[in-house]
Each structure stands twice: as C-alpha cells, then as structure tokens.
C-alpha cells in the first residue's frame, strides 16, 4: 500500500526535475548487477567535450564540484551516468494515479519508463540499461529527471521530442499528435560502425536503445518465452507427421542467458525434451532455481542416460546442462541420440569477448584467455565453431532439423571456415528462424508480438483483459480461413494458459501474437471495457519492434525477404511516420537492437486506451496500418503468405489499395541470353 504522504513526496520530486540543491554524492552500489565497463575510447580533448556536454544539464555554480566527478566516472566506467542524481524513491511502475500529470497519456508514459528501470525488470538499473547489455532508456540520470518533469507538465497540445535519451523539450502540437517522439542512435550512415557508437555514446550525444528499452515498452521475460514457444512449436510441426506430438523428442540447443534462458520453458510448453547447454554455472543454476528448466545435470554420462530414458518413456522434460554445447552435439552423435530439432543461442553477435565460449576450455579459463591472449581466444572460438558445425552436419545427415536463432551462428561459423554454406551462392545450408518459421508462418500473415499493460497495476484488470482476448480470438477463429487456423489456435491456447505460466514481472502486462484483425478487435474490446468500468484504468498498447512491419534487419526480421530489399530500411521508417499521424501516443525509431549497431533499423509505438471515442478511432486507424504496412511490403517481395493476407485485407477494406507484384515464370528468366 502506498501512503498518501509518499505519493505527495513522489509527485513533488517528479515535478521538480533536476533538484534545486546539489544532492549528496552517492557511493556506487555493490550488490546490484552493474553494466560492464565500456571501452576507454575518447582522447583528452574528447573527454573534455564529454564533461562539458554533461555539465550543460546543471547550473554553473555546481560545475566545479561535478566536473572532476564526471571525468572520474568516464575514466572508470567509460560513460558518465551521473549516479549522484539517481532519485532516492523506489523505481517501479506505480498505478497510473500516482503520477503527477495533466494528461493520462503522459502519466502512462511515466509508468512505462519506470517499469523499464525497475530493478526487478532491468538488467543494469544503475546505468539505466533495461536489457541486452546496452539497451538504454536514458544515457544518464539528468535525462531521466528532466524527462519526467516535462511529462508532468505536458498538456494535450504539446509533444516531447527525445533525442537518444535527451529530452530536447516540449514543442507546441495538437491533441491528435503523438505526445512523445523518440529516436535512438540515429546516425549519418557512414558513422554507424561499432566504434562510432562507443565514441558518440561516451560523448553523451547518442545511445543504443535496443528495441523496447529505449522506447519504454519492455515487459520482462514473457515476451521472449512467447516468441520462443511459437518458434519451437512450429519447428516441430515442420518435421512431425500429422497428429504426432513432440513428447519424447529431443530439442538440443545452448544458452541459458537473457533471451536464451527462455528455451527450456518454451520446450516444456511445446511438450518435448529440451537439452540446453550452458557453460556459465551461475546462469545454469539461476534458470533451474527459477523453475525455467526442470532439472540440472553437470555430468555428460548422466545426461546421456537421462535423455535416453526420457526418449524411451516419451517424457516432457527440460534439462539445463552445465557444459559446452559442442561436447553435447559430438557426444549425442557418438551415442546415436536422435535430435529432432536443433538450434543455438550463444551470443555469437559478440564472438570475441564472451558471447561464445570455445570447447576445450572451462568458463574461467576462457575468460582469462580473453584478457591475456585475445588472438589465441579468437582462434579457439573459430576452431570450436568448425567442430560444432561438423557435428551438426552429422546430425542433419541423420534427419535433424537445425535452424539459426538470429544469433549469427551461421555467419560466424562461415567466417571460421566451417562447412555451413548451401548449394546456392551466398546462402547457408540451414535456415534462420525467421526464414523458415516466424516469417512465413507469422509475420507474412500479420501475426506478431502485440502486448498491453494495465495501468491500474491491478492483476484483476489483467485477468479481465485475458478473458476479453480469449473471447475475441475465439470469435475471429470461427470464420478465419484455413491458412491461419493454426496460428489462431496457438494464440488462444497461449492466452488461456498465460496466467498459469506466471510470467508477469514488473507491470501487469501481457503479450499475445495476433494479426491486424485480432489486434484491432482486442483493442476495441478493451477500450469498451474501460468505458464501461469493467477494466478500472487505461490500458497501454504496444508491441515488440521484432514484428511484421517495425523492423528492417536483413539477417533477422526481414531475412525472408528475397527481392534485394532486405538491405533497405524504408518499411521501418514508413511505419514510424505512418503510426505517428494515425494516432499513436508515442512512437520511436532506433538504429541497432538485437543484431547490433548499424545492422538494423527498428521502431515501435505506444498507445493509451482510455475508453474514449477518440481512442477507438485512433486504434482502428493506427493498428490497421501498423500491421498492413509490413504485409504490403512482404507481398511486394513476392512472399506468397503475405500476398494471400494483403489480398484478403483488400477484399474487406475498400480504402486499402496496395500495389501487387506480377509474378514471372521461371522459364522467362532461364531463357534470357546474357
Ligand atoms: N530468443 C530470441 O527470441 C532471440 C531472437 C533473436 C536473436 N537472439 C539471439 O540469441 C543470442 C542469445 O541471447 P541472450 O540474451 O540469451 O544472450 P546471453 O549472452 O545472455 O546468453 C548466451 C549464453 O550462452 C552461453 N554460452 C556461450 N557459449 C557457449 C557454449 N559454447 N556452450 C554453452 N553455452 C555457451 C553464455 O554463457 C551465455 O549465458 C543473441 O545473439 C541474441 O541476439 C535471440
């Protein structure tokens, strides 16, 4: 229970922004998960500039006190976080009424920001990092304080413009405009190499927003569990006979870290035997203790015995194995343990500094080698990747279905000289999860990670919203075409079991893969329930950027685009602009996220439903575009599922008129004389 005195003090502190008196210097906390020290990349002149940049948030009389402190932070941590200014109040998503605001939209955004910084949710809360090691909400605490102050003052005739965590200010706009516009890491394209990020982030002029970190839309681990479950269920469907289930069939993979840790839980929901190898004992134990893996095994012989037993008894079982994934692939090959589905979720987007641990070294030895002999470490990683790929090839020859999980496994294995290339030039012999599964089965039909947050903070509202979603989806399924019956079923099962799976961490949030029709109808039903008082406070709608239309990323979200346009970013840019004037409460567009700085452009939105007629008009207009933009682009790229979906949408939406591709007969191309 929050006392009214606490609420008043909290409101005052928020409205104050940067305090009028210089706060005491704080000792750096020890017990929390701190962000790694960043590269010391600036020269002396640049460091002066970084300190000068940081001091512009504060009155001149504090500069002498703060200048050296900020330089020390820069030298120690590689960034200036301004720890002294971190507020003393508890950081978490309060019920919406607790926020001082002139519009409930601004209050909802404050709630979402605080959720992203809640220590129960955020990976490195002291450094304002929500997830992914570097997914920042703000660059420093002054930006947080100022932003919250602006939001507390904002009216429905103003828009707050956020430049990579820095609030440029409130500008006059109008009530139909977004209340907040966010950009993160947008660079002149030639300045988008990894070291550019290090440099300009250290200078305090840009940040890496990942996807839902810098756009205030992170909802903890349930987003990943749902996406991984959808992927795994469909991976099994690709190889199982009709009517056959996944019981007693092995899914072999690796990684029990941030996202990868969802795999055993997703395996349990799918109903298979999951074997997930993890070299870091702490990570393996943590996931087991959290109940995300049913058992933990540390000995290879014991693993073999238990897996054979589980196969014989057709069990559903998830095993966290403390050991290297390469050894497991090789041992299972030797023992002839049939692996039905295989993947890998080591962090190969970051291969040389701890994303991938080579076979033959234990965790501590590998970490030591990274420091003492990075060149030898690199050789060992590449050797290990060649071994891993060779063993996977042996399994594939026996019938294993292997897919790349968007972690750059195939890319790095190919760079290491492993045999992973296919028969066509520049193509791997295994698909990515988007090429084979999420792209054709979900994104091309418009299904993606729609989500919502109940701003009352009351679990009863979440229960009510789950129930509404089930009713709406069941109704839609009754007339849905055969092509999307499977997806509808999966989503109904997911939402029916969502509460039982106990995945809420932080705000009262839910994720659900839904298509344009599902998203709009669920949202309209929520709005109606709020109007009628069945849900007690506004609901925030949003989605992951990893979706149908939000993200252009040639090796992940758009890896199933084959017309050459996978290297363009028009779709993500159109999406953010298109959403902004169709009713989004806030929009964001980012460089980087998931696969790395310079490798992806991704965007998202937030929309506050308050039960009003205006909210209903906005949701109808914006959610329709937010999904169909991507389907149109995917259909123009000749993806047959997207062609089906966009034609179906045109047939029922007379104002939609999309350019359709004419398909060319293979013979016409084959007969060309060059
Ligand atoms: N889950 C998803 O939906 C999804 C989607 C796209 C991409 N990815 C990618 O998956 C990768 C993993 O993400 P994360 O957040 O879990 O990263 P993470 O770094 O938190 O976890 C990776 C884990 O792999 C372990 N590991 C490394 N080498 C190993 C080896 N040889 N054998 C066994 N374990 C080993 C590490 O100790 C670490 O705990 C990233 O590259 C991410 O971009 C995941």
């Amino acid at each position: 229970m929050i006392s009214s005195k606490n609420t008043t003090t909290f409101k005052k502190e928020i409205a104050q922004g940067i305090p009028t008196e210089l706060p005491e210097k704080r000792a750096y906390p020890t017990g929390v998960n701190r962000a790694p020290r960043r590269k010391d990349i600036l020269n002396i002149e640049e460091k002066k500039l970084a300190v000068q940049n940081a001091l512009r948030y504060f009155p001149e009389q504090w500069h002498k006190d703060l200048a050296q402190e900020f330089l020390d932070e820069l030298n120690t941590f590689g960034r200036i976080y301004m720890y002294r200014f971190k507020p003393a109040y508890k950081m978490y998503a309060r019920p919406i009424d607790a926020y001082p605001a002139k519009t409930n939209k601004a209050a909802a955004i404050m709630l979402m920001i605080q959720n992203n910084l809640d220590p129960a949710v955020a990976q490195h809360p002291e450094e304002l990092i929500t997830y992914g090691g570097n997914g920042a909400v703000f660059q420093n605490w002054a930006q947080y304080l100022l932003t919250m102050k602006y939001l507390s003052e904002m009216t429905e005739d103003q828009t707050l413009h956020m430049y990579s965590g820095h609030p440029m200010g409130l500008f006059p706009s109008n009530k139909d405009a977004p209340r907040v516009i966010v950009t993160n890491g947008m660079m002149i394209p030639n300045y988008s190499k990894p070291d550019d990020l290090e440099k300009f982030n250290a200078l305090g002029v840009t940040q890496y927003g990942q996807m839902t970190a810098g756009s205030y839309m992170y909802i903890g681990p349930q987003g990943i569990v749902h996406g991984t479950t959808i992927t795994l269920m469909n991976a099994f469907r690709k190889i199982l006979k009709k009517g056959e289930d996944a019981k007693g069939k092995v899914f072999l993979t690796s990684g029990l870290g941030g996202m990868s840790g969802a795999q055993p839980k997703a395996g349990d929901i799918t109903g298979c035997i999951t074997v997930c190898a993890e070299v870091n004992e702490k990570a393996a134990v943590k996931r087991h203790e959290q109940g995300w893996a049913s058992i933990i095994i540390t000995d290879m012989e014991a693993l073999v015995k238990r897996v054979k037993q589980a196969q014989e008894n057709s069990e559903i079982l998830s095993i966290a194995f403390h050991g290297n994934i390469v050894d497991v692939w090789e041992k299972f090959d030797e023992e002839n343990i049939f692996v039905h589905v295989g993947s890998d979720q080591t962090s190969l987007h970051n291969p040389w500094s701890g994303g991938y641990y080579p076979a033959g070294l234990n965790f501590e030895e590998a970490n030591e080698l990274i420091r003492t002999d990075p060149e030898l470490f690199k050789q060992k990683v590449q050797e290990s990747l060649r071994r891993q790929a060779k063993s996977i090839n042996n399994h594939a020859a026996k019938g294993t279905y292997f897919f790349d999980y968007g972690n750059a496994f195939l890319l790095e294995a190919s760079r290491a000289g492993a045999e992973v290339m296919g028969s066509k030039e520049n193509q791997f012999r295994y698909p990515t999860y988007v090429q084979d599964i999420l792209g054709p089965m979900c994104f091309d039909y418009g299904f993606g990670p729609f989500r919502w947050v109940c701003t009352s903070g009351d679990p009863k509202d979440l229960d009510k919203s789950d129930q509404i979603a089930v009713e709406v989806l069941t109704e839609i399924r009754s007339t849905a075409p055969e092509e999307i019956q499977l997806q509808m079923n999966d989503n109904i099962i997911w939402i029916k079991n969502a509460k039982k799976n106990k995945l809420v961490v932080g705000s009262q949030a839910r994720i659900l893969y839904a298509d344009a029709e599902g998203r709009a109808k669920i949202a309209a039903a929520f709005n109606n329930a709020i109007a009628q008082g069945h849900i007690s406070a506004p609901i925030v709608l949003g989605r992951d950027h990893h979706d149908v239309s939000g993200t252009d990323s040639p090796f992940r979200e758009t890896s199933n685009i084959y017309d050459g346009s996978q290297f363009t970013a028009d779709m993500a840019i159109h999406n953010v602009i298109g959403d902004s004037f169709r009713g989004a409460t806030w929009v964001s567009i980012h460089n980087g996220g998931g696969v790395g700085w310079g490798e992806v452009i991704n965007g998202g939105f937030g929309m506050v439903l308050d039960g009003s007629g205006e909210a209903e008009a906005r949701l109808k207009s914006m959610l329709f575009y937010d999904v169909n933009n991507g389907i149109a682009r995917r259909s123009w790229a000749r993806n047959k599922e997207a062609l089906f979906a966009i034609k179906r949408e045109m047939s029922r939406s007379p104002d939609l008129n999309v350019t359709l591709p004419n398909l060319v007969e293979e013979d016409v191309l084959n007969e060309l004389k060059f």
Side-chain angles (χ1 to χ4, degrees):
M1 192 77 189
I2 311 163
S3 78
S4 63
K5 184 166 163 268
N6 280 351
T7 310
T8 318
T9 321
F10 171 71
K11 284 186 176 173
K12 270 196 192 142
E13 278 187 64
I14 292 279
Q16 176 179 239
I18 296 196
T20 42
E21 291 199 6
L22 184 60
E24 286 293 306
K25 194 172 172 194
R26 294 168 67 235
Y28 300 128
T30 46
V32 293
N33 186 0
R34 300 288 299 275
R37 194 178 179 282
R38 310 296 183 190
K39 210 170 180 173
D40 186 12
I41 198 163
L42 303 183
N43 62 32
I44 287 181
E45 277 313 304
E46 288 164 341
K47 283 186 178 175
K48 265 194 210 160
L49 182 59
V51 171
Q52 194 185 4
N53 286 348
L55 289 175
R56 62 187 151 169
Y57 288 101
F58 306 103
E60 202 188 331
Q61 65 270 26
W62 297 355
H63 287 180
K64 275 224 164 75
D65 279 325
L66 293 178
Q68 188 60 46
E69 182 177 322
F70 287 171
L71 178 64
D72 292 346
E73 280 192 21
L74 188 59
N75 285 333
T76 316
F77 307 114
R79 299 287 183 273
I80 302 174
Y81 297 113
M82 310 180 183
Y83 288 110
R84 183 199 282 257
F85 291 91
K86 187 185 169 201
Y89 52 73
K90 212 170 155 228
M91 194 67 76
Y92 68 103
R94 289 162 169 74
I96 190 165
D97 293 343
Y99 294 95
K102 295 183 179 155
T103 143
N104 60 14
K105 300 197 180 88
I109 298 170
M110 287 194 250
L111 178 160
M112 299 294 283
I113 288 176
Q114 288 210 312
N115 190 58
N116 269 23
L117 295 172
D118 176 349
V121 173
Q123 187 182 19
H124 306 303
E126 294 292 317
E127 290 85 10
L128 304 112
I129 302 287
T130 303
Y131 72 96
N134 55 0
V137 192
F138 299 97
Q139 297 177 64
N140 57 55
W141 286 104
Q143 294 179 341
Y144 165 82
L145 293 174
L146 263 180
T147 301
M148 296 298 270
K149 177 184 183 333
Y150 280 130
L151 287 168
S152 75
E153 293 166 352
M154 163 191 280
T155 69
E156 293 258 333
D157 285 314
Q158 288 175 307
T159 293
L160 177 62
H161 288 258
M162 300 294 302
Y163 282 40
S164 283
H166 170 70
M168 194 54 82
L170 290 170
F171 289 75
S173 62
N174 60 67
K175 77 175 184 11
D176 294 325
R179 297 279 67 84
V180 180
I181 305 273
V182 178
T183 56
N184 278 305
M186 299 313 291
M187 301 298 292
I188 302 301
N190 269 345
Y191 297 83
S192 212
K193 303 272 182 307
D195 267 355
D196 294 323
L197 165 67
E198 297 293 336
K199 178 174 162 182
F200 293 106
N201 193 195
L203 281 175
V205 295
T206 194
Q207 72 174 4
Y208 196 81
Q210 282 282 8
M211 291 191 162
T212 50
S215 62
Y216 329 138
M217 196 42 79
Y218 189 67
I219 56 162
Q222 72 169 304
I224 298 298
V225 175
H226 188 28
T228 313
T229 305
I230 297 262
T231 304
L232 194 55
M233 280 193 319
N234 285 313
F236 271 104
R237 279 186 189 129
K238 288 188 85 74
I239 55 162
L240 294 181
K241 294 190 198 86
K242 230 186 160 115
E244 207 183 355
D245 66 27
K247 272 191 205 138
K249 303 187 172 73
V250 173
F251 166 46
L252 175 58
T253 185
S254 59
L256 287 168
M259 290 198 266
S260 50
Q263 294 176 104
K265 181 118 193 158
D268 286 345
I269 301 173
T270 303
C272 61
I273 304 168
T274 306
V275 179
C276 192
E278 167 58 64
V279 283
N280 179 348
E281 191 179 3
K282 279 199 183 124
V285 169
K286 183 175 153 192
R287 290 305 186 195
H288 176 237
E289 282 176 358
Q290 283 175 336
W292 287 42
S294 38
I295 58 171
I296 183 162
I297 295 181
T298 51
D299 172 70
M300 185 64 89
E301 295 306 324
L303 177 71
V304 168
K305 202 167 152 213
R306 187 65 188 87
V307 171
K308 285 185 175 171
Q309 186 189 31
Q311 283 181 313
E312 265 166 41
N313 300 337
S314 293
E315 288 179 56
I316 299 172
L317 179 71
S318 54
I319 305 172
F321 175 68
H322 176 219
N324 199 298
I325 184 62
V326 181
D327 298 328
V328 184
W329 280 111
E330 289 178 346
K331 184 71 179 174
F332 281 18
D333 184 23
E334 226 175 273
E335 294 282 338
N336 258 323
I337 292 179
F338 185 65
V339 174
H340 277 77
V341 175
S343 193
D344 186 276
Q345 269 201 55
T346 56
S347 279
L348 273 158
H349 68 268
N350 172 29
W352 319 129
S353 45
Y356 179 91
Y357 288 86
L361 296 174
N362 69 30
F363 188 58
E364 290 73 28
E365 287 165 349
N367 280 328
E368 180 67 12
L369 195 62
I370 295 174
R371 229 171 34 83
T372 54
D373 195 343
E375 199 36 51
L376 181 61
F377 181 78
K378 187 173 172 179
Q379 280 172 29
K380 292 212 173 278
V381 165
Q382 295 201 315
E383 214 173 274
S384 183
L385 282 169
R386 288 193 292 271
R387 262 174 70 183
Q388 185 172 343
K390 185 161 183 256
S391 185
I392 290 169
N393 291 344
N394 290 347
H395 283 272
K398 296 180 201 171
T400 297
Y401 170 62
F402 182 86
F403 65 91
D404 182 291
Y405 215 125
N407 62 337
F409 172 76
L410 291 173
L411 186 68
E412 285 307 330
S414 69
R415 286 174 179 162
E419 284 174 28
V420 290
M421 299 316 291
S423 49
K424 281 197 191 151
E425 209 185 325
N426 287 331
Q427 278 200 11
F428 296 120
R429 65 164 77 172
Y430 303 108
T432 71
Y433 74 119
V434 175
Q435 279 179 310
D436 243 25
I437 302 168
L438 274 191
M441 292 177 164
C442 294
F443 293 165
D444 287 355
Y445 288 119
F447 287 89
F450 181 53
R451 57 184 58 180
W452 62 89
V453 173
C454 298
T455 65
S456 61
D458 185 349
K460 283 200 220 83
D461 279 344
L462 189 59
D463 292 348
K464 180 76 199 165
S465 69
D466 284 347
Q467 187 197 329
I468 291 174
V470 171
E471 284 162 15
V472 171
L473 291 187
T474 309
E475 168 72 31
I476 297 176
R477 182 179 59 182
S478 67
T479 55
E482 184 55 33
E483 285 80 352
I484 59 167
Q485 280 288 332
L486 204 67
Q487 291 82 341
M488 297 302 301
N489 280 338
D490 289 349
N491 296 325
I492 291 169
I493 293 169
W494 166 265
I495 194 76
K496 280 187 175 166
N497 292 330
K499 188 175 182 186
K500 197 177 77 194
N501 284 328
K502 289 198 185 117
L503 293 161
V504 169
V505 179
S507 60
Q508 291 296 315
R510 184 66 72 222
I511 178 161
L512 172 67
Y513 266 59
D515 65 358
E517 182 184 5
R519 299 183 206 205
K521 286 188 172 161
I522 290 170
F526 287 169
N527 199 45
N528 199 21
I530 297 165
Q532 295 184 356
H534 302 316
I535 288 179
S536 68
I539 280 186
V540 173
L541 300 181
R543 58 165 173 73
D544 193 356
H545 298 192
H546 175 274
D547 194 8
V548 182
S549 321
T551 296
D552 278 301
S553 181
F555 299 106
R556 234 171 73 170
E557 284 79 354
T558 39
S559 61
N560 74 322
I561 302 278
Y562 303 102
D563 67 351
S565 73
Q566 62 270 41
F567 295 98
T568 65
D570 295 306
M571 176 179 74
I573 298 295
H574 275 272
N575 218 68
V576 72
I577 296 173
D579 283 0
S580 77
F581 64 79
R582 287 183 172 86
T585 309
W586 74 100
V587 286
S588 65
I589 186 84
H590 303 186
N591 168 14
V595 288
W597 180 256
E599 304 282 359
V600 48
I601 297 291
N602 63 91
F605 73 89
M607 173 176 268
V608 177
L609 301 181
D610 56 8
S612 63
E614 285 102 340
E616 175 153 350
R618 286 197 192 106
L619 75 87
K620 283 197 171 135
S621 168
M622 200 216 77
L623 291 175
F624 182 91
Y625 176 75
D626 185 63
V627 179
N628 280 301
N629 167 41
I631 301 180
R633 185 272 176 107
R634 289 165 185 276
S635 78
W636 183 240
R638 295 182 281 265
N639 290 10
K640 82 173 182 337
E641 292 80 5
L643 265 165
F644 167 84
I646 206 72
K647 283 182 187 164
R648 179 169 175 248
E649 196 56 74
M650 280 200 277
S651 71
R652 59 184 175 182
S653 306
D655 288 343
L656 178 71
N657 194 356
V658 167
T659 315
L660 297 176
N662 291 298
L663 304 182
V664 182
E665 288 292 332
E666 280 285 314
D667 285 355
V668 175
L669 300 175
N670 292 340
E671 283 162 20
L672 284 173
K673 294 185 179 51
F674 294 97

